[in-house]
Amino acid sequence: MGRGIAPTWYGMNSSGAPEPAARSRQRPDLVLVGCVKTKRSARSAARDLYDSPLWRYRRAYAECLGVPWYILSALHGLLDPDRRIDPYDLALTDLRHEARRAWSAQVLAELKRRVPSIRNKLIEVHAGATYVNHGLEEGLRDAGAAVHRPLARITGVGRQQTWYRERLHVNGKADHRHSPERSHAGRIATLIADDFYGDGLDLASRGMAPDQPPWLDMPEVKSVHRLTASGTEPETGQDSALLYSVHSVEHVLSLGGTLRAARLFLTFIAAMDRMRDATRLWNAGMRLYEDHPESFDPRHVAGLEVGQLGSVLKAARVSRKHGQDSNAWHRIARNLSSGLDSPVSRVIDAGVGDAGELLRDLKSCDDGGRTRFPLLRGPKIGPMWIRMMANPGRARIDRIEIIPVAVDVQVRRATENLGVTATRGLPLRQAKPVIQQTWKDAVSEAEIAGPAGIEGTCAALDPALWFFGKHGCGHCRKADEQVIFGRACDFCVRFR
């Protein structure tokens, strides 16, 4: 990135009060950029170590300004972008109040050392409130600097990325990754993901509570959040799930902790997730976990008769085709408890895996020729399960970018209604590869928002696209009129 950026300046300080117009319009003298949680796995220059869509926007913006910039690192304090560092796992939110104030004092002292006179300088900060509210902003102002936080009032990663995208102009031209010349599908993918992971969708028009981004309201995400709600176990000092059941806590510990328990929960319930109302299924799964957490313990389930297991699943309303579902649940449990070191068991137990190996393992058979992981191997459920292992399951999965969009009726409807493919009327077997390849190409040329572990991939676009098709296009189909849901609705071809 070079010089020559012509950003639009907004005269507003961190409290929301306007700053003097002359100051708010000028280029800053210095930029401070907050670090992000997602990092590459090898020692790198700091500017390259951090890796998320939001980070890439922040970095591009800071570099395009052509002024000095530094990274605010929870571990290293004030960090030169070219300094080579190792990956680390520390966030400011991990520190207590006193430690955050000490960190702020350290950053301020280092900044004064590197910039001998900061009086009358305009310092622009691109970081969350945690970075500035424990003495850093106050110290900068006391030293005579003007502090500008242009995104202080802009919530949601999607909306923040939109802010950067609108201001990234290199040598008078838009950044090619976000230019008008980008494909139609690329524009659509970016809009849908930004709206879904931010707060750009009009949930009120669908009678839904608009108090948090839709991603956080996805049934599997809500379930895992509830499952991993922390409590203290005095005997072990470990986190444990609090699901209003003493037996639940005991079983979480026996399963190796909350993350393994969460990944087991995701695995068994995902296998049941076909032609089902997702919210009802995952809520039923949570009730089953609260009442019978041992049903998610592979060793326990493997020791049951299939009929015993089937009665439990049926009573909890987790199964639908009761014989098929209970047999699948039982076989998955037997294979997970067999002691075989397979990619599927490894990602559940250790939280690491490779997307390609996982896809192959899901389709594998035992010595008798029987599917080892029935109901998880399908073209929709398999990719969806791998995505769930990465987030909300928090497994580190290499090559997550090869996971395609899972084409179901919701995804197909949105794809065709938005004019992304001309597949309307084709049999699903012909339409599916076209839809998947189109979205894969779109994601490769766009910056797709998403949570840690899946950001920038089709795995991140998939739930956003599904949600848009179900609650956007699905709603309009029932109403037989267009009811605007998000910015992508401007491209709807059905109601033109």
Side-chain angles (χ1 to χ4, degrees), residues 11 15 26 52 113 125 158 173 191-192 236 239 266 323 432 439 478 480:
S15 66
Q26 74 181 66
S52 76
R113 187 183 69 79
V125 182
K173 295 183 179 180
L191 291 174
I192 290 177
T236 64
D239 284 345
L266 289 168
K432 176 183 171 182
W439 286 123
K478 293 176 182 177
D480 200 29

Side-chain angles (χ1 to χ4, degrees), residues 80-126:
D80 189 293
D82 293 320
R83 178 181 165 187
R84 294 182 64 80
I85 59 173
D86 292 316
Y88 63 91
D89 186 16
L90 179 69
L92 277 184
T93 52
D94 297 331
L95 305 179
R96 295 183 179 275
H97 176 75
E98 297 79 5
R100 294 180 194 177
R101 292 199 67 85
W103 177 89
S104 300
Q106 174 193 341
V107 169
L108 188 60
E110 180 64 16
L111 186 60
K112 290 179 178 178
R113 187 183 69 79
R114 297 191 186 200
V115 185
S117 177
I118 62 174
R119 179 171 294 278
N120 296 324
K121 282 187 168 56
L122 177 59
I123 299 177
E124 193 167 289
V125 182
H126 292 256

Side-chain angles (χ1 to χ4, degrees), residues 428-495:
L428 179 60
R429 67 179 182 276
Q430 295 179 24
K432 176 183 171 182
V434 175
I435 293 172
Q436 288 182 325
Q437 186 61 50
T438 301
W439 286 123
K440 180 180 179 181
D441 293 341
V443 168
S444 70
E445 66 179 19
E447 293 281 2
I448 302 298
I454 62 174
E455 70 276 16
T457 69
C458 285
L461 178 62
D462 183 78
L465 193 56
W466 173 86
F467 190 89
F468 189 93
K470 178 176 177 61
H471 299 289
C473 299
H475 179 93
C476 291
R477 179 183 62 84
K478 293 176 182 177
D480 200 29
E481 64 174 329
Q482 187 179 24
V483 183
I484 299 298
F485 188 48
R487 291 176 295 168
C489 292
D490 291 340
F491 296 90
C492 180
V493 299
R494 183 183 174 203
F495 293 97

